[in-house]
Amino acid sequence: MIRILIADDHDLLREGLEQALGAVPDIQVLGTASSGAELLSILDDVSPDVIMVDVDMPGMSGLEALGKMRGGPPAIVVTMHESAKMRKQAMDAGAVGFLSKSTPLPRLAAAMRAAVAGESFIDDDYDVTSHMNAVLDPGAAALTARERELLSLLATGVSSTDELAEKLYISQKTVKNHLASIYDKLAVSDRAQAAVEAIRLGL
Amino acid sequence: MIRILIADDHDLLREGLEQALGAVPDIQVLGTASSGAELLSILDDVSPDVIMVDVDMPGMSGLEALGKMRGGPPAIVVTMHESAKMRKQAMDAGAVGFLSKSTPLPRLAAAMRAAVAGESFIDDDYDVTSHMNAVLDPGAAALTARERELLSLLATGVSSTDELAEKLYISQKTVKNHLASIYDKLAVSDRAQAAVEAIRLGL
DNA sequence: CCCAATCTGGTCCCTCCGACCCATGGAGGG
DNA sequence: CCCTCCATGGGTCGGAGGGACCAGATTGGG
């Protein structure tokens, strides 16, 4: 279980992330802060495994806060400014991860797992996919790319053979074959169980 | 059940809100868009009761998109620019609601309920609380106790009629009847989709 | 007191799903 | 070069699942 702290001044993002990340099986949201100062003040009470911090916050910025807490838990900086300059500033401030606010949720989760594992996680194009595969859940590792793709659809509520075949541009028979492989690897026996497993695995 | 559409270019906010709003009993997220153009394109396929749209989006802005869809479903504008000028622009573009991104989640939900009720909802200080109390009330989940019980089991991977009947001490036929009711209420058509919905609802 | 909702159970029917058999072509590793 | 894995596809078949009805017992609210 990864215990995290979220710092962002936008309530919608903060509360939304709290919900969404809390729903991830191995992540627990300990608390949130809406400013750098608030982050520092509650950091003493809770001891998170990793913190997610926004750059733009009223009063003390996320990077300032990071500078004042050297030696604390690893921090992942999330921002809407995707420039290389900002990334360097974040890393200089001691961040172990740097992500855009346009990052898909699972990648944020992957970054947190990487952070607690002592690795850094930079939102770049090269090498990221291989890195992510290493960080992702071992249970899902056995699945092939195509199987994961199908399973992801299943986890979003696309359940009929027909729809799945359509969305994957393959025949209904191939869908059934992939499903059979998934059932075997996940030790389940139907789509409902597979969907539950898929969500549990964060797909 | 309020069926909504979310348009925001920041994946984290979009996915977070999708999760968080989907967890609200009387709200169902039909889909999301990451640009004004995408919003317009999917608006034809789904017919939401209300849409939430960000102002700042690449290409076509939220306000531009609103201007092009006059006559569509009511729209709530959410932005980080809290100026009165921006609010006026939003209302001129046809928005029925205007909220800051620093708005607490329940207020956003309240605004959506107000929007479908034909009322407008402006993020102002005066009169808002009284308005909210009138609009709030989380609208009890349509599911009955027994249905929720069955659905919870489904969400834990108990999918076969046989097992469900056994664990609930009822006949297989009654399981099927309950499932049929659940399908109807959740607008799904099989156990896999119901399981996905159940988890999304936090069961 | 009656009506509506809920929980329980039933029958019929037919689609669809999952199990098991197989084949082919391509990619990659030893 | 061969062998394995993957993705694609085919066929068959029994049984489970879902749709469309119905109906009795109980409970609670108007």
Side-chain angles (χ1 to χ4, degrees):
Chain A
M1 180 66 76
I2 304 177
R3 296 143 42 89
I4 70 168
L5 206 57
I6 300 175
D8 193 300
D9 60 326
H10 291 130
D11 286 28
L12 281 185
L13 177 67
R14 197 172 64 246
E15 293 179 33
L17 271 184
E18 190 175 2
Q19 273 273 345
L21 285 174
V24 178
D26 58 342
I27 292 183
Q28 180 189 9
V29 180
L30 292 185
T32 63
S34 57
S35 70
E38 192 184 346
L39 171 62
L40 291 180
S41 73
I42 63 178
L43 200 54
D44 296 323
D45 301 323
V46 299
S47 48
D49 300 317
V50 56
I51 67 177
M52 191 210 92
V53 56
D54 187 18
V55 173
D56 303 299
M57 286 190 291
M60 188 189 306
S61 83
L63 296 188
E64 283 181 74
L66 275 191
K68 292 187 188 298
M69 46 172 276
R70 291 271 193 182
I76 295 173
V77 169
V78 175
T79 179
M80 49 185 301
H81 310 301
E82 312 187 31
S83 69
K85 179 185 168 200
M86 178 59 80
R87 178 165 71 228
K88 186 178 185 316
Q89 286 180 0
M91 305 314 278
D92 288 346
V96 301
F98 181 82
L99 297 174
S100 157
K101 281 197 177 178
S102 298
T103 300
L105 198 61
R107 181 173 288 197
L108 174 59
M112 289 176 168
R113 297 192 188 96
V116 296
E119 303 165 17
S120 68
F121 195 101
I122 314 300
D123 202 359
D124 244 344
D125 288 335
Y126 69 97
D127 197 22
V128 168
T129 48
S130 63
H131 194 156
M132 275 187 61
N133 286 339
V135 181
L136 280 175
D137 190 284
L143 296 174
T144 69
R146 201 62 166 156
E147 288 163 359
R148 251 196 301 276
E149 201 172 343
L150 196 158
L151 196 53
S152 297
L153 279 176
L154 196 58
T156 63
V158 182
S159 60
S160 74
T161 305
D162 207 40
E163 259 185 305
L164 288 168
E166 208 169 302
K167 304 224 174 206
L168 293 172
Y169 305 107
I170 54 180
S171 80
Q172 302 189 6
K173 190 59 194 66
T174 304
V175 168
K176 290 179 148 200
N177 286 338
H178 285 319
L179 280 173
S181 298
I182 292 172
Y183 297 159
D184 189 42
K185 291 177 180 176
L186 296 185
V188 298
S189 56
D190 58 44
R191 296 163 198 228
Q193 292 180 351
V196 172
E197 263 308 291
I199 295 173
R200 201 185 64 77
L201 292 171
L203 294 182
Chain B
M1 179 67 78
I2 304 177
R3 298 143 40 90
I4 70 168
L5 206 55
I6 299 175
D8 193 300
D9 60 327
H10 291 131
D11 286 28
L12 282 184
L13 176 66
R14 197 172 64 245
E15 293 179 33
L17 270 184
E18 189 175 3
Q19 273 272 346
L21 284 175
V24 179
D26 58 340
I27 291 183
Q28 181 189 10
V29 181
L30 292 184
T32 64
S34 57
S35 70
E38 192 184 347
L39 169 62
L40 290 179
S41 72
I42 64 177
L43 200 54
D44 296 324
D45 301 323
V46 300
S47 47
D49 300 321
V50 56
I51 67 177
M52 191 209 92
V53 57
D54 185 18
V55 172
D56 303 299
M57 285 191 291
M60 189 189 305
S61 82
L63 296 188
E64 283 181 74
L66 276 192
K68 291 186 188 297
M69 47 171 277
R70 290 271 192 181
I76 295 173
V77 169
V78 176
T79 180
M80 48 186 300
H81 310 301
E82 311 187 32
S83 68
K85 179 187 169 202
M86 178 61 78
R87 178 165 71 229
K88 184 178 185 314
Q89 286 180 0
M91 304 314 277
D92 286 346
V96 301
F98 181 82
L99 297 173
S100 158
K101 282 197 177 177
S102 299
T103 300
L105 197 60
R107 180 174 290 196
L108 173 59
M112 289 176 168
R113 298 194 187 94
V116 296
E119 303 166 17
S120 69
F121 194 101
I122 313 301
D123 203 359
D124 247 343
D125 289 334
Y126 68 96
D127 194 25
V128 168
T129 48
S130 64
H131 195 158
M132 274 185 60
N133 287 339
V135 184
L136 271 175
D137 176 30
L143 295 175
T144 69
R146 202 60 166 156
E147 287 162 359
R148 227 184 266 104
E149 199 173 346
L150 196 158
L151 196 52
S152 297
L153 278 176
L154 198 58
T156 63
V158 182
S159 61
S160 75
T161 305
D162 206 40
E163 261 186 302
L164 288 168
E166 209 170 300
K167 304 225 175 208
L168 293 172
Y169 304 108
I170 54 181
S171 80
Q172 300 189 7
K173 191 56 199 70
T174 304
V175 168
K176 289 180 145 199
N177 285 339
H178 285 320
L179 280 173
S181 298
I182 292 171
Y183 297 159
D184 190 41
K185 291 178 179 176
L186 296 186
V188 297
S189 55
D190 58 45
R191 296 165 197 226
Q193 293 180 348
V196 171
E197 265 306 293
I199 294 174
R200 208 174 59 78
L201 292 171
L203 293 182

